[in-house]
């Protein structure tokens, strides 16, 4: 099979996985309207390229991530349990991040221990799901800082168990041996999932004060919270609706970025995820002010097909598409992008 784009990987992944695992990966909350809208939103935006002052032949995709210049505006987002999709899933995510020179955001619900993942070569951030025991959260943060992760990503949109019809219908349960390596037994619900402690701004600011590494909030869906996070001293936010998996009928992330993107221009990082499958999707997000894009399901398709090599191929396809799109619209560097190069529903949104 020839893999020209991410849809090819998706097609094969569906054939390889069991129905239960596929539904767990693809499914979302409620009517899955948000899952679908995450993709549809990219169709509402279009490019309106300018003729460049100098012809564009070569492009530079460098972006700023936590103050450091990096060549790829792509991060491998937290997905758990990766073992459901490939036996060496967690290791493969980190390996692919190293091979493609990007960053792996390791899920807090990983099977591998924090310290073990920390010892794997490659750049890593750690995603925290709060546990029922507040003190335990701080123990986890200590271990994360000691293990050399470069940032802490606190997820705030999944404190309560989601209602996903596909999983209910399949009576989905994690297969034996696939669990959570970093959570105390008392966090387990009777169905094997993990109980989380809901966090508010007061808890988040305590975590920020405590953490020795930069803290990013994942799951922000209101421009007011993007602004507040930047004012409170967080390093950044991930505008995310958890891939439509937690609550249906929430906003699509590109639309929130459209309203909030200018905050990122003051040295505060804005990341985004939700349905990114093409280089042009990434280009749109960068034009609206994102520092980089997190991949979710997209890299899992590559993982299912070919482990870490599949994930790396997914990243390289996207980078090739992104560079090509930059040339096509006459932009040689990410810093030249602006909302002026886009229209929404054929109206320019930035003015
Ligand atoms: C199967 C699956 C598991 C996920 N697990 C986590 C997780 O452990 N922690 C987290 O913060 N987000 C998790 N997410 C959400 C992703 O990080 C990301 O926000 C989302 O997948 C983006 O949407 P996309 O998959 O359409 O690109 C998960 C998503 C999927 C599909």
């Amino acid at each position: 099979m020839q893999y020209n784009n991410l849809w090819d990987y998706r097609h094969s992944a569906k054939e390889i996985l069991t129905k239960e695992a596929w539904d767990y990966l693809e499914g979302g909350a409620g009517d899955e309207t948000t899952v679908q809208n995450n993709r549809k939103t990219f169709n509402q935006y279009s490019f309106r390229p300018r003729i460049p002052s100098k012809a564009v032949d070569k492009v530079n995709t460098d972006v700023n991530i936590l103050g450091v210049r990096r060549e790829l505006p792509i991060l491998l987002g937290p997905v758990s349990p990766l073992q459901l999709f490939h036996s060496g899933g967690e290791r493969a995510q980190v390996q692919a991040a190293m091979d493609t020179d990007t960053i792996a955001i390791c899920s807090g619900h990983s099977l591998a221990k924090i310290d073990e993942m920390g010892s794997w070569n490659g750049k890593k951030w750690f995603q925290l799901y709060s546990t029922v025991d507040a003190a335990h959260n701080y123990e986890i943060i200590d271990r994360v800082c000691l293990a050399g992760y470069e940032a802490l990503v606190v997820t705030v949109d999944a404190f309560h168990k989601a209602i996903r019809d596909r999983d209910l219908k399949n009576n989905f349960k994690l297969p034996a041996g696939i669990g959570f390596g970093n959570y105390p037994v008392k966090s387990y619900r009777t169905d094997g999932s993990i109980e989380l402690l809901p966090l508010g701004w007061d808890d988040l600011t305590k975590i920020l004060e405590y953490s020795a590494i930069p803290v990013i909030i994942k799951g922000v869906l209101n421009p007011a919270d993007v602004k507040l996070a930047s004012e409170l001293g967080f390093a950044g936010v991930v505008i995310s609706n958890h891939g439509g998996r937690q609550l249906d009928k929430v906003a699509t992330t590109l639309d929130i970025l459209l309203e909030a993107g200018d905050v990122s221009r003051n040295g505060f990082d804005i990341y985004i995820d939700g349905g990114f499958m093409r280089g042009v999707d990434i280009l749109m997000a960068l034009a609206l002010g994102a520092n980089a894009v997190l991949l979710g399901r997209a890299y899992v398709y590559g993982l299912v097909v070919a482990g870490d090599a599949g994930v790396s191929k997914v990243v390289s396809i996207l980078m090739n598409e992104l560079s090509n799109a930059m040339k096509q619209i006459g932009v040689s560097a990410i810093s030249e992008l602006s909302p002026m190069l886009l229209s929404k529903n054929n109206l320019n949104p930035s003015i």
Side-chain angles (χ1 to χ4, degrees):
M1 164 104 192
Q2 200 181 335
Y3 295 98
N4 292 326
N5 56 50
L6 273 56
W7 296 106
D8 293 338
Y9 275 102
R10 182 178 184 273
H11 182 82
S12 286
K14 186 176 182 183
E15 287 184 344
I16 294 168
L17 290 177
T18 61
K19 180 179 181 332
E20 289 74 18
W22 176 252
D23 279 348
Y24 182 73
L25 176 64
E26 287 295 286
D31 293 328
E32 300 188 350
T33 317
T34 299
V35 178
Q36 289 158 22
N37 285 349
N38 277 350
R39 276 301 310 155
K40 281 186 192 155
T41 192
F42 294 111
N43 298 337
Q44 293 172 350
Y45 289 80
S46 40
F47 294 104
R48 20 179 255 160
R50 295 284 313 268
I51 298 170
S53 49
K54 271 196 189 141
V56 172
D57 194 21
K58 286 202 180 86
V59 294
N60 178 338
T61 59
D62 283 6
V63 286
N64 237 310
I65 296 185
L66 295 181
V68 176
R69 288 210 79 68
R70 301 196 60 88
E71 214 178 303
L72 268 65
I74 292 177
L75 308 167
L76 302 179
V79 170
S80 69
L82 283 175
Q83 265 73 0
L84 185 64
F85 309 116
H86 188 276
S87 56
E90 289 159 0
R91 186 78 190 80
Q93 180 201 12
V94 175
Q95 181 68 46
M98 197 180 82
D99 293 343
T100 56
D101 198 18
T102 182
I103 298 165
I105 309 178
C106 300
S107 170
H109 278 175
S110 62
L111 179 62
K113 299 265 186 254
I114 291 170
D115 339 31
E116 187 193 347
M117 292 190 294
S119 71
W120 297 338
N121 285 335
K123 289 211 167 287
K124 293 166 299 282
W125 295 354
F126 185 83
Q127 177 261 322
L128 178 77
Y129 272 136
S130 57
T131 73
V132 271
D133 177 354
H136 189 246
N137 290 330
Y138 291 100
E139 277 171 41
I140 291 184
I141 296 172
D142 286 342
R143 284 165 57 201
V144 168
C145 295
L146 265 178
Y149 297 81
E150 293 181 16
L152 182 72
V153 179
V154 186
T155 296
V156 296
D157 62 1
F159 299 130
H160 308 284
K161 197 166 188 285
I163 304 172
R164 294 185 203 128
D165 290 356
R166 295 200 210 196
D167 294 346
L168 291 173
K169 202 169 172 193
N170 293 335
N171 194 19
F172 177 79
K173 297 223 165 29
L174 287 180
I178 299 184
F180 310 95
N182 296 290
Y183 282 77
V185 173
K186 66 178 170 186
S187 305
Y188 282 74
R189 296 190 187 100
T190 47
D191 67 356
S193 62
I194 296 265
E195 176 125 28
L196 305 185
L197 183 76
L199 304 175
W201 278 114
D202 50 349
D203 307 294
L204 290 168
T205 45
K206 279 187 204 140
I207 289 174
L208 175 65
E209 279 162 22
Y210 187 82
S211 174
I213 53 177
V215 180
I216 294 161
I217 307 175
K218 175 172 182 282
V220 174
L221 265 190
N222 193 298
D225 281 339
V226 176
K227 194 158 176 282
L228 192 52
S230 80
E231 288 164 0
L232 290 172
F234 288 88
V237 292
V238 183
I239 297 179
S240 173
N241 56 32
H242 217 99
R245 295 168 68 76
Q246 284 304 118
L247 177 65
D248 202 15
K249 311 283 196 294
V250 289
T252 61
T253 53
L254 214 57
D255 284 341
I256 301 302
L257 179 64
L258 171 66
E259 280 184 71
D262 55 338
V263 181
S264 72
R265 304 218 164 83
N266 304 322
F268 173 77
D269 286 7
I270 298 188
Y271 308 100
I272 181 171
D273 68 19
F276 285 82
M277 286 289 282
R278 286 283 190 186
V280 282
D281 303 340
I282 297 174
L283 191 56
M284 282 178 183
L286 298 174
L288 291 176
N291 291 63
V293 163
L294 272 63
L295 302 182
R297 295 176 180 94
Y299 81 83
V300 178
Y301 303 144
L303 176 74
V304 171
V305 173
D308 60 280
V311 179
S312 296
K313 185 77 198 299
V314 159
V315 172
S316 78
I317 288 174
L318 286 174
M319 286 307 294
N320 186 40
E321 288 183 354
L322 174 67
S323 303
N324 180 270
M326 286 173 70
K327 286 180 199 162
Q328 303 280 1
I329 66 165
V331 160
S332 61
I334 303 294
S335 56
E336 293 166 22
L337 292 167
S338 84
M340 286 300 292
L341 288 168
L342 282 179
S343 59
K344 186 179 179 192
N345 297 326
N346 285 326
L347 297 171
N348 182 262
S350 67
I351 37 179

